[in-house]
Amino acid sequence: MSVHDQKPALRLEGIVKTFPGVRALDGVSFSVLPGEVHALMGENGAGKSTLMKVLGGLHQPNEGKIFMGDEPVVMGSPMDAKAKGVVFIHQELSLAEELSVAENIYLGELPRKSFGRVDWDRLYADSGAILKRLNCGFGPRTLVGDLSIANMQMVEIARALTVDAKAVIFDEPTASLTDAEKVVLFEVIADLRAQGVGIIYISHRMEEIFRISDRITVLRDGAYRGTLNTAETDEDEVTRLMIGRSLDMSRNAEHVETGDVALEVRGLSCGKLFQDVSFEVREGEVVGFYGLVGAGRTEIAETLFGLRTPSAGKILLKGKEVSIHSPMDAIAHGISLVPEDRKTQGLVLGMNCRDNITLPQVGDLTAGPFVSDGAEIAIFDQYRDRLDIKTPNWRQQVGNLSGGNQQKIVIGKWLSMHPEVLIVDEPTRGIDIGSKSEIHNLIRELAKSGYAVIVISSEMPEVMRVSDRVIAMYNGKLMRSFTADEVTEDNLVQAISGLSENGKVA
Amino acid sequence: MADDRMKQVGAFLARQGILVAFLLFMIGFALANHRFIAIDNVLGVIRSSAILGVMALGVTFVVISGNLDLSVGSMMSFSTIVVLDLHDKLGPALAIPAMFAMTLALGALIGFLVGYLRLNSLIVTLGMLSAIHGLTLTYSGGKNMDIADKAGTWFGGIGRGSVLGIPGPILIFGLLALVLSVTLAKTPFGRKVYAVGGNGTAAIFSGIPRARVVFMTYIISSFCVATAGLLQASRSLGSQNTVGQGLELDVLAAVILGGASLLGGSGTVFKTVIGVLILGFIQNGLLLVGLEFYVQYVVTWVIIILAVWLDVAAKRGRILSPIA
Ligand SMILES: Nc1ncnc2c1ncn2[C@@H]1O[C@H](COP(=O)(O)OP(=O)(O)OP(=O)(O)O)[C@@H](O)[C@H]1O
Ligand SMILES: [Mg+2]
């Protein structure tokens, strides 16, 4: 079957969307056929989410039209779009944490009995069935607030399956999913596709795009750059279309002379979260922590940063034992943490870009009793250039930046602290491949100039690319430590699933 | 595209609506009664708004940090009664610092409960409203407080005197507004107040001592309340023990009118001053056209509702919206 003879399920034509100071979309056309997976790619801030928000009724375009079949339609609101069969799964989670999973799935359209009473039995039965289809390990009665980020994402996806969809938009759905969860997601997508639903899939991960998509459309700076048939193209061509050059994505092969031990952890435990963790990081060294979600990596980072109190063990900086009771202590000792979740932990979304970057050191950027504007702007300018942050100016509210550029603000914020120990937790979540390789290079560079760096990541290629040493974790315990030369995909997978070298569960 | 223009008008009204409404109101009242814009009336309004204004300055800090302070009215009664009582016992020079210390202690207690113990500020300050009222009644034995020798004290000079023709309360209000405005807009502490109110978790992750910042906002608020109590006492040289009753709502109305969000993270001292003036002129205007004094209570409530609605509408970018 050739997809080209079919009528598109949805077509956008000449869409223009501007925000104050930003031309986010500049006459973009795009269409999705029934039963195809159409990938949408482009750098951070290229306009992908904005285009989809226009389609999903969240933004009204300044110019341009949307067609369903041959009919021009107006997506007046998200509910309107959903009623027309366009389902949008957002980049940023939008769930009510105090409600149950079932209530979230059917939010706004709970099944009713007479007198408007909620039909709880049906609600739980229906949502239970959807969760089963998604292979979720939790029930419909669970509180959403108790779920991990990955599981929340699954709830978001479950919402899409409650209506008779013509098109489903996935905006970076896998950014916080584990490999196993990804497999399930791809099965769901294959399912929808087989039913003739058109899928729009946004992601920065090439391997996913090539695994599931039929066509790829590339945006750049709000303009349409072209559409490729996935079967007839390769990563290099897509990359060049996206950023205008090729990239080197090889793994870390350089050997840096490491210095003294910067951070040493001895027998550190924190209740059930992790036990008896010992490791050291030298100046000039990047240590990668790899493991499944829930293996305790983030919790170790949070303990080092003074957000959790260890139940046993010691932390030594440059050979001296320190006690860290708060992030303030940690910062004073030269530790920086780029946290896992930018929206809740990393940023004050209503504040401007500059103030977010300088927040941890604003007390030191003073001239007399006042914050020095000039010093702040200098820092902002430096990291905007270094990380290639796309924003009209420093006054822009961080909440208005694209997801990837928000992440860069968080990274800039902690780099600007010039830490001695830098901990980054999922540093490139949602970041485009160009900037990702920039950030990887930056991490290598920082190490070379003497920083001790800990990289926590669920992406194997990332860990292998930046680390001098990789520590594999399973269930709150350190399993094995590999040097860059020893590490292979196989032995890593083995170590993080709790299997020792001879195949027994440790 | 007509839809688009509607939305733009909506967004503009949502952002500037309160100013537009205020202008229309001023014009209307000026036409109805010429006395309304006479210099002495205008000065009078500002002067009588000054006490409310001083309290609103402090509450601005509390609201921006994402909390509420409903205890300011009853705390102001407390300060007034205490300073009047101590005036006769210790003399004014000692009474004033003693009263400030006691009021700040109350602020510190609230700050401790809300900041360090992380109790809900609505509950804490609502409870304090009634607890401090009880404290005031106990302190005064239920009687009104009067200075014995009204003619022989310099104490009245603060609230009744003037410097270069500017009445004392206006001067103090202006000075305090200036100092606090600069504190909020230009110092690291001010920045931290915005961060804590905008996203408390992110503030903690940035090494900001959230509890201490919240504590400090209540200290500032109680300092402003003490100043307001001083002005009140000095102006009247005698007082009922319920002078501040109900002022907490007027204060909150002024702060929200000025555009501070109840969700925290936004607002400025300057805007609060505007909010105070708007409220003062509206109440004065209603009196001048001959409405019952008590109608003000209803009007204040309507204004709060209007301001909150416009605040939410501005966030959504339109006046009415199916989604939040
Ligand atoms: N509400 C808004 N107000 C102002 N500017 C906005 C708003 N929403 C998006 N923008 C701007 O529009 C541009 C496109 O943003 P968009 O979110 O569509 O990018 P994206 O391609 O999804 O990027 P990412 O891969 O980082 O998610 C960016 O420059 C962004 O700053
Ligand atoms: Mg996006």
Side-chain angles (χ1 to χ4, degrees):
Chain A
M1 173 192 78
S2 161
V3 286
H4 296 282
D5 332 321
Q6 279 179 283
K7 276 244 165 73
L10 265 177
R11 192 154 57 86
L12 293 107
E13 232 178 64
I15 303 289
V16 174
K17 177 72 197 174
T18 58
F19 298 107
V22 188
R23 199 169 173 86
L25 294 173
D26 192 8
V28 175
S29 299
F30 179 81
S31 68
V32 60
L33 304 170
E36 85 161 334
V37 177
H38 196 151
L40 189 54
M41 297 196 74
E43 289 174 285
N44 296 129
K48 306 178 295 293
S49 297
T50 306
L51 186 66
M52 290 304 113
K53 284 178 185 163
V54 166
L55 181 54
L58 280 142
H59 290 321
Q60 296 305 317
N62 301 78
E63 284 170 40
K65 285 205 174 70
I66 305 173
F67 295 89
M68 296 193 82
D70 294 323
E71 295 282 301
V73 290
V74 173
M75 304 293 185
S77 69
M79 282 178 303
D80 189 18
K82 197 166 181 185
K84 292 192 167 95
V86 176
V87 176
F88 195 161
I89 294 160
H90 288 274
Q91 183 169 13
E92 310 289 351
L93 297 169
S94 53
L95 298 171
E97 305 211 341
E98 313 78 35
L99 297 183
S100 70
V101 166
E103 286 166 292
N104 267 287
I105 294 178
Y106 282 95
L107 203 64
E109 46 201 13
L110 296 176
R112 302 283 177 172
K113 291 195 288 200
S114 53
F115 303 114
R117 288 171 303 149
V118 174
D119 187 346
W120 294 103
D121 293 339
R122 216 178 98 211
L123 174 66
Y124 288 129
D126 289 358
S127 40
I130 294 176
L131 293 177
K132 196 167 243 163
R133 200 166 136 204
L134 291 172
N135 262 327
C136 291
F138 52 90
R141 288 164 203 266
T142 320
L143 272 192
V144 164
D146 294 339
L147 296 176
S148 66
I149 295 180
N151 282 335
M152 288 189 197
Q153 186 88 47
M154 294 312 275
V155 175
E156 192 92 39
I157 291 166
R159 273 183 177 175
L161 305 180
T162 62
V163 295
D164 183 21
K166 293 209 168 48
V168 180
I169 304 162
F170 290 91
D171 194 351
E172 299 193 38
T174 55
S176 43
L177 295 191
T178 63
D179 288 333
E181 287 164 325
K182 267 184 229 171
V183 171
V184 176
L185 173 69
F186 294 158
E187 277 166 13
V188 173
I189 290 179
D191 242 29
L192 289 169
R193 179 172 177 261
Q195 292 163 24
V197 178
I199 312 271
I200 303 168
Y201 189 90
I202 301 178
S203 172
H204 292 294
R205 300 200 175 145
M206 284 286 184
E207 71 280 4
E208 287 173 8
I209 298 284
F210 278 87
R211 184 160 152 198
I212 66 165
S213 75
D214 300 304
R215 289 194 296 165
I216 303 172
T217 289
V218 175
L219 298 184
R220 187 165 174 202
D221 290 333
Y224 173 81
R225 293 307 304 265
T227 301
L228 304 163
N229 279 325
T230 311
E232 294 154 17
T233 182
D234 58 18
E235 295 194 9
D236 202 44
E237 187 180 8
V238 178
T239 306
R240 268 183 285 124
L241 204 55
M242 265 171 65
I243 63 176
R245 65 196 154 91
S246 302
L247 283 174
D248 164 33
M249 295 297 277
S250 59
R251 53 190 281 187
N252 175 31
E254 57 181 17
H255 287 271
V256 184
E257 283 301 308
T258 55
D260 297 335
V261 175
L263 168 74
E264 187 180 351
V265 172
R266 276 192 216 146
L268 200 66
S269 303
C270 185
K272 291 203 177 85
L273 297 169
F274 57 86
Q275 298 87 35
D276 198 21
V277 167
S278 303
F279 63 91
E280 55 180 49
V281 187
R282 290 174 174 276
E283 287 168 3
E285 185 181 41
V286 181
V287 174
F289 274 72
Y290 186 66
L292 300 175
V293 171
R297 298 164 302 163
T298 296
E299 288 73 13
I300 293 179
E302 287 174 353
T303 308
L304 291 175
F305 198 60
L307 289 157
R308 292 176 190 274
T309 313
S311 50
K314 283 184 193 163
I315 301 170
L316 295 88
L317 288 169
K318 290 198 175 135
K320 272 207 230 65
E321 183 170 350
V322 291
S323 54
I324 299 173
H325 299 293
S326 68
M328 269 177 297
D329 291 347
I331 291 169
H333 282 117
I335 301 177
S336 278
L337 170 67
V338 174
E340 185 177 26
D341 184 352
R342 61 170 170 263
K343 205 169 145 195
T344 62
Q345 303 167 334
L347 297 167
V348 182
L349 291 176
M351 244 185 190
N352 66 42
C353 295
R354 182 197 71 179
D355 293 1
N356 263 288
I357 286 193
T358 56
L359 194 56
Q361 53 179 322
V362 67
D364 299 326
L365 297 175
T366 47
F370 304 125
V371 181
S372 152
D373 252 6
E376 282 196 291
I377 292 172
I379 290 180
F380 169 79
D381 284 346
Q382 186 187 346
Y383 287 90
R384 180 200 50 206
D385 295 344
R386 189 157 175 195
L387 299 173
D388 192 22
I389 298 172
K390 289 210 181 79
T391 167
N393 55 51
W394 63 260
R395 288 185 184 82
Q396 180 73 291
Q397 280 194 5
V398 163
N400 287 340
L401 297 189
S402 78
N405 283 302
Q406 290 182 4
Q407 180 71 15
K408 290 182 190 174
I409 296 270
V410 186
I411 293 178
K413 162 171 158 179
W414 288 109
L415 284 187
S416 71
M417 295 297 292
H418 303 292
E420 276 154 37
V421 177
L422 174 67
I423 308 171
V424 291
D425 197 349
E426 306 289 357
T428 60
R429 181 176 284 172
I431 285 195
D432 69 54
I433 49 169
S435 313
K436 194 169 183 168
S437 102
E438 286 300 309
I439 287 174
H440 290 164
N441 292 341
L442 195 69
I443 290 176
R444 295 296 326 160
E445 228 175 83
L446 289 171
K448 234 185 276 179
S449 59
Y451 291 80
V453 186
I454 294 177
V455 177
I456 299 172
S457 175
S458 305
E459 281 183 61
M460 197 183 292
E462 175 161 285
V463 173
M464 305 208 341
R465 183 161 143 70
V466 301
S467 311
D468 297 304
R469 224 150 34 84
V470 180
I471 291 177
M473 280 195 72
Y474 168 71
N475 210 2
K477 296 196 179 59
L478 297 196
M479 300 305 291
R480 275 193 68 186
S481 164
F482 305 90
T483 64
D485 302 326
E486 291 165 358
V487 69
T488 65
E489 291 193 15
D490 286 345
N491 57 24
L492 257 190
V493 168
Q494 208 176 56
I496 63 154
S497 50
L499 300 172
S500 63
E501 272 157 291
N502 51 22
K504 288 213 192 77
V505 175
Chain B
M1 290 303 102
D3 186 50
D4 244 31
R5 202 159 317 127
M6 270 297 294
K7 251 177 85 177
Q8 273 172 14
V9 172
F12 175 79
L13 273 184
R15 240 175 296 123
Q16 309 296 347
I18 212 74
L19 273 181
V20 175
F22 178 57
L23 281 181
L24 291 178
F25 178 91
M26 291 292 277
I27 295 170
F29 275 92
L31 291 178
N33 188 334
H34 290 295
R35 251 190 58 64
F36 187 59
I37 46 170
I39 280 292
D40 63 329
N41 187 53
V42 169
L43 264 185
V45 170
I46 298 179
R47 197 170 76 169
S48 61
S49 301
I51 290 179
L52 179 84
V54 166
M55 290 159 76
L57 297 178
V59 172
T60 303
F61 280 73
V62 173
V63 168
I64 292 175
S65 80
N67 294 303
L68 282 176
D69 193 347
L70 295 179
S71 70
V72 289
S74 125
M75 201 188 281
M76 195 272 253
S77 306
F78 174 80
S79 311
T80 309
I81 293 298
V82 166
V83 79
L84 287 172
D85 177 60
L86 293 183
H87 178 275
D88 284 3
K89 291 183 180 151
L90 306 174
L94 279 180
I96 295 173
M99 177 276 277
F100 266 81
M102 288 163 81
T103 311
L104 286 175
L106 291 175
L109 174 62
I110 300 177
F112 174 75
L113 294 176
V114 178
Y116 289 91
L117 298 190
R118 303 197 59 172
L119 303 180
N120 181 293
S121 66
L122 178 74
I123 304 299
V124 169
T125 60
L126 201 56
M128 281 305 266
L129 185 161
S130 122
I132 296 176
H133 184 55
L135 191 64
T136 312
L137 289 178
T138 314
Y139 185 93
S140 65
K143 294 192 303 276
N144 294 338
M145 210 52 91
D146 264 303
I147 288 179
D149 177 16
K150 291 189 180 163
T153 177
W154 53 264
F155 184 69
I158 305 168
R160 296 175 166 190
S162 61
V163 178
L164 301 173
I166 307 170
I170 296 185
L171 201 66
I172 290 180
F173 177 39
L175 274 179
L176 203 55
L178 194 70
V179 170
L180 290 181
S181 174
V182 169
T183 305
L184 189 58
K186 297 281 178 205
T187 66
F189 170 73
R191 186 72 58 75
K192 290 175 188 174
V193 173
Y194 283 107
V196 164
N199 182 350
T201 309
I204 291 173
F205 270 80
S206 303
I208 290 174
R210 173 188 170 147
R212 196 189 302 161
V213 170
V214 170
F215 178 81
M216 281 310 296
T217 63
Y218 281 103
I219 293 290
I220 291 174
S221 177
S222 59
F223 178 85
C224 290
V225 169
T227 310
L230 175 64
L231 288 174
Q232 177 67 38
S234 143
R235 205 172 74 176
S236 54
L237 296 180
S239 171
Q240 299 177 323
N241 42 40
T242 53
V243 271
Q245 203 167 43
L247 277 187
E248 56 279 339
L249 277 192
D250 285 10
V251 166
L252 201 60
V255 172
I256 301 171
L257 269 178
S261 164
L262 280 184
L263 302 174
S266 71
T268 67
V269 168
F270 177 72
K271 286 183 180 167
T272 291
V273 172
I274 300 287
V276 168
L277 295 181
I278 291 179
L279 201 66
F281 277 107
I282 289 177
Q283 293 183 345
N284 172 260
L286 292 176
L287 279 181
L288 282 187
V289 295
L291 279 178
E292 283 271 1
F293 176 75
Y294 303 107
V295 176
Q296 282 187 13
Y297 294 129
V298 180
V299 171
T300 307
W301 177 80
V302 171
I303 290 170
I304 294 181
I305 298 299
L306 190 72
V308 171
W309 175 50
L310 286 173
D311 173 39
V312 178
K315 290 247 156 55
R316 295 176 187 141
R318 39 179 127 167
I319 290 283
L320 283 175
S321 161
I323 47 163

